[in-house]
Amino acid sequence: MKTARLHGREDLRIEDIPEPTVGPGQVKLRNAYVGVCGSDVHLYLNPEASPIDLFSPHPVTGAHLPQPMGHEFSGTVVEVGPDVEGIAVGDRGAVFPIAYSCGECVACRRGAPTSCRLMASLGANADGGGMAEYVTVSASQFHRVPESVDLQTAALVEPMAVAWHGAARSRAGADDVVLIAGAGPIGIGAWYAFRARGVRDVLVSEPSPERRQKIAALGATVIDPTTEDLHAIVADRTDGDGVDVFYDAAGVPAALATGLAELAPGGRVVLQSPHEHGFEIQPSALMMGETELIGAVGYTAEEFDEVIARMEAGDYDTTGWVEEMALDDVVTAIDTLRSGAGTKITLRVGDA
């Protein structure tokens, strides 16, 4: 089968490897679409920076490079293994890519496997990934999508679940004012998530003209922080009170500092984007404002299904911000995102 396998730093090869075989409790999928994520870009550029050595067998899964990339993907069931119930050949769905965790650490004991230091994901440090024609996964990782959800949209369940989880962590209510920094895929996903959760007043701050245009076309209220007075806009919108939630989907210290300055007393900050560089925070300001800093990573299986339900309800629209390329163009897709161009790219792997 054709696959895009990562061998090392900037060494991603289109190769022909044997198809995986299905075992007990597993299903085999013919992959349809796979999203290219910012973490895929980082993995391609610097696999040595992974918290767990990708070149040695993973302590839990035993997987190591070379490895098919891709953890945001969808496909159709072509084979069902023994001991699998409720899934049939022909079922279409999205894959929950978090394959394994240690099961013993405090994060796992508290039901937060995405915070486990040994967490393993398809497309990185567990066998298989979305950038391959076929993959076998545990039946529990397969989440069926209804016929009204096309498979390109289904490949976005994973990143939209990331944003859905962050929105849930914010505890934003219908009457709260939310400010999102960044209109990349997670920022767009957060905008959709807050709207689906009934939050009526959501502002998006984005310096990129291309990304502003794309999220504005979806119906968002978007601000250019490089030319507009964000503070004045927030003050006018909130009668000078400030926003209740600041959602960091930018990962830029300047954006975080700006968001902190716009918070109302008792406001909450959701940190949903990794920062490559550190930043300074004034503890006294956080203390006096009783500000909450909330980290958000990953999602739960229930949140995966909640996103699918909202997709079925028509709350997500891929028009204008999701681009399609062929699997053979994966390096071009990575280079495009690395350059700051584009918003979301999905690779066509097989028949949809």
Side-chain angles (χ1 to χ4, degrees), residues 149-169:
V149 178
D150 65 85
L151 285 175
Q152 185 183 40
T153 301
L156 301 178
V157 171
E158 196 276 347
M160 296 300 98
V162 169
W164 185 271
H165 177 72
R169 294 272 290 155

Side-chain angles (χ1 to χ4, degrees), residues 1-348:
M1 66 174 181
K2 179 189 288 188
T3 181
R5 284 208 304 172
L6 182 68
H7 286 253
R9 182 191 293 256
E10 298 188 53
D11 185 5
L12 182 58
R13 309 175 194 176
I14 301 296
E15 298 179 313
D16 186 47
I17 64 172
E19 292 183 19
T21 56
V22 65
Q26 292 184 321
V27 295
K28 181 177 179 179
L29 304 182
R30 165 73 171 177
N31 291 332
Y33 286 93
V34 57
V36 182
C37 175
S39 59
D40 292 322
V41 177
H42 291 299
L43 182 63
Y44 169 77
L45 294 175
N46 192 11
E48 296 87 356
S50 172
I52 299 177
D53 182 7
L54 298 177
F55 296 89
S56 300
H58 186 276
V60 178
T61 69
H64 58 82
L65 298 183
Q67 179 69 28
M69 291 184 68
H71 61 277
E72 306 175 353
F73 62 102
S74 63
T76 302
V77 176
V78 294
E79 188 176 351
V80 177
D83 305 323
V84 173
E85 297 181 356
I87 300 176
V89 171
D91 284 350
R92 303 155 60 255
V95 174
F96 189 96
I98 301 171
Y100 302 93
S101 57
C102 75
E104 300 176 354
C105 70
V106 61
C108 290
R109 295 198 309 271
R110 292 182 176 179
T114 52
S115 295
C116 173
R117 65 181 184 85
L118 294 181
M119 184 271 290
S121 172
L122 294 166
N125 46 20
D127 287 329
M131 294 186 192
E133 289 184 296
Y134 295 94
V135 68
T136 55
V137 300
S138 168
S140 64
Q141 292 175 265
F142 178 77
H143 290 245
R144 187 183 293 104
V145 298
E147 288 297 323
S148 60
V149 178
D150 65 85
L151 285 175
Q152 185 183 40
T153 301
L156 301 178
V157 171
E158 196 276 347
M160 296 300 98
V162 169
W164 185 271
H165 177 72
R169 294 272 290 155
S170 78
R171 309 190 310 278
D175 295 328
D176 285 341
V177 179
V178 174
L179 172 63
I180 299 171
I186 300 303
I188 291 175
W191 180 76
Y192 275 126
F194 282 117
R195 280 166 40 94
R197 289 174 171 275
V199 180
R200 292 186 288 266
D201 201 345
V202 183
L203 306 174
V204 180
S205 176
E206 172 56 63
S208 164
E210 178 185 1
R211 289 187 170 184
R212 282 200 310 275
Q213 184 276 327
K214 289 178 179 179
I215 196 168
L218 298 174
T221 300
V222 61
I223 301 163
D224 178 359
T226 66
T227 62
E228 296 181 86
D229 188 338
L230 178 59
H231 178 73
I233 292 171
V234 168
D236 180 66
R237 205 171 185 96
T238 64
D239 293 328
D241 291 344
V243 300
D244 301 287
V245 172
F246 171 66
Y247 186 104
D248 177 16
V252 178
L256 178 57
T258 299
L260 284 167
E262 298 304 330
L263 276 178
R268 301 174 296 282
V269 177
V270 178
L271 300 172
Q272 187 82 77
S273 181
H275 283 245
E276 293 185 7
H277 306 288
F279 51 87
E280 292 186 3
I281 292 179
Q282 175 49 257
S284 296
L286 301 185
M287 178 190 73
M288 295 303 295
E290 293 200 326
T291 302
E292 293 183 50
L293 296 181
I294 302 169
V297 63
Y299 35 72
T300 66
E302 292 76 17
E303 288 168 332
F304 230 66
D305 288 332
E306 287 168 1
V307 169
I308 291 172
R310 301 317 306 179
M311 286 179 171
E312 183 179 20
D315 288 337
Y316 290 86
D317 182 0
T318 62
T319 304
W321 65 279
V322 179
E323 181 180 355
E324 179 180 322
M325 293 185 179
L327 179 62
D328 287 343
D329 297 325
V330 58
V331 174
T332 298
I334 289 173
D335 288 341
T336 298
L337 296 176
R338 179 186 181 186
S339 72
T343 301
K344 187 64 184 178
I345 298 175
T346 58
L347 303 175
R348 185 178 63 257

